Amino acid sequence: MTKYEIVLHPDQKLKKKCLPISEITNEIRSIGMKMLETMYAAPGIGLAAPQVGVLKRMFVMDCSEKNKASEPYICINPEIKWVSERKSVYEEGCLSIPDFYGDIERPSEIRLSCLNEDGESVEYYFDGLEATCVQHEIDHLNGILFIDYLGSMRRQIITTKMKKLKKQNALLSFSGTIGV
Ligand code: NI
């Protein structure tokens, strides 16, 4: 299975509110599988559809520990039903903003309802890393990035560095094309 190319910040696709999925078709299932492949290859523990240029309400996640059985989730039209008052801080990163990290505070526990890849309604309770990951991915579906929680100064610095990186990437792929 081929992988998607991951959309890098800054990009308008990462700022959009994504649309709900009305029907779980084979196409949606194969987008989910391809997103999982892309996430594992990166490697990452979560990936939202807009990060691969698909502006739909879907994300994939696998927070299982290394060398343990994998625990892949494909979550469609996810909705957070409850969050705890207790908060935790995790150092977050994002596949769309590689090599930048920030301490973000979010509710420690959540209840999530969504559809799975078979179109069944499912509800999950998550805490720890998974709770943080789900909230980070749902933010993506609403056009929010973790850097939006950082101070504007830090966000500016990261965005400027990312713009530079993207320019370099574009130059590299261009020289690749013409064989220089
Ligand atoms: Ni992310």
Side-chain angles (χ1 to χ4, degrees):
M1 188 177 283
T2 48
K3 288 182 297 164
Y4 284 111
E5 202 167 307
I6 294 175
V7 175
L8 294 179
H9 169 73
D11 191 302
Q12 275 310 306
K13 290 189 208 82
L14 297 174
K15 302 304 293 174
K16 295 271 196 299
K17 193 168 162 70
C18 297
L19 293 174
I21 294 170
S22 51
E23 202 188 339
I24 316 298
T25 57
N26 282 336
E27 191 202 349
I28 294 296
R29 272 186 279 274
S30 79
I31 291 172
M33 295 305 293
K34 203 168 153 184
M35 282 172 61
L36 275 172
E37 292 283 329
T38 307
M39 179 191 81
Y40 285 129
I45 57 170
L47 185 68
Q51 294 182 276
V52 297
V54 176
L55 299 182
K56 295 182 194 297
R57 301 192 77 79
M58 166 159 74
F59 72 84
V60 297
M61 173 175 87
D62 186 341
C63 294
S64 59
E65 285 172 50
K66 258 187 200 164
N67 309 321
K68 293 233 172 109
S70 60
E71 289 168 25
Y73 290 92
I74 297 177
C75 298
I76 297 163
N77 298 340
E79 261 182 70
I80 291 179
K81 291 295 187 187
W82 170 84
V83 299
S84 65
E85 275 180 36
R86 195 163 59 91
K87 307 264 172 76
S88 327
V89 175
Y90 275 90
E91 189 181 56
E92 295 188 22
C94 181
L95 293 176
S96 293
I97 319 172
D99 299 328
F100 293 99
Y101 302 92
D103 284 340
I104 310 292
E105 187 184 70
R106 301 182 189 268
S108 312
E109 304 161 77
I110 59 162
R111 269 184 207 289
L112 175 77
S113 96
C114 62
L115 298 176
N116 65 16
E117 63 273 29
D118 297 317
E120 296 159 345
S121 239
V122 283
E123 217 176 294
Y124 300 109
Y125 162 85
F126 290 118
D127 62 2
L129 183 60
E130 285 177 324
T132 283
C133 186
V134 166
Q135 293 172 81
H136 175 117
E137 301 313 329
I138 291 180
D139 271 354
H140 272 300
L141 307 184
N142 296 320
I144 298 165
L145 301 172
F146 83 88
I147 56 169
D148 294 331
Y149 298 110
L150 304 175
S152 65
M153 192 71 150
R154 175 117 176 86
R155 190 165 61 236
Q156 265 305 318
I157 291 169
I158 293 174
T159 301
T160 305
K161 287 188 179 163
M162 281 300 303
K163 276 185 187 157
K164 223 182 237 174
L165 175 82
K166 288 180 75 171
K167 216 180 241 173
Q168 282 169 355
N169 283 352
L171 279 173
L172 278 176
S173 70
F174 179 67
S175 53
T177 319
I178 57 171
V180 175

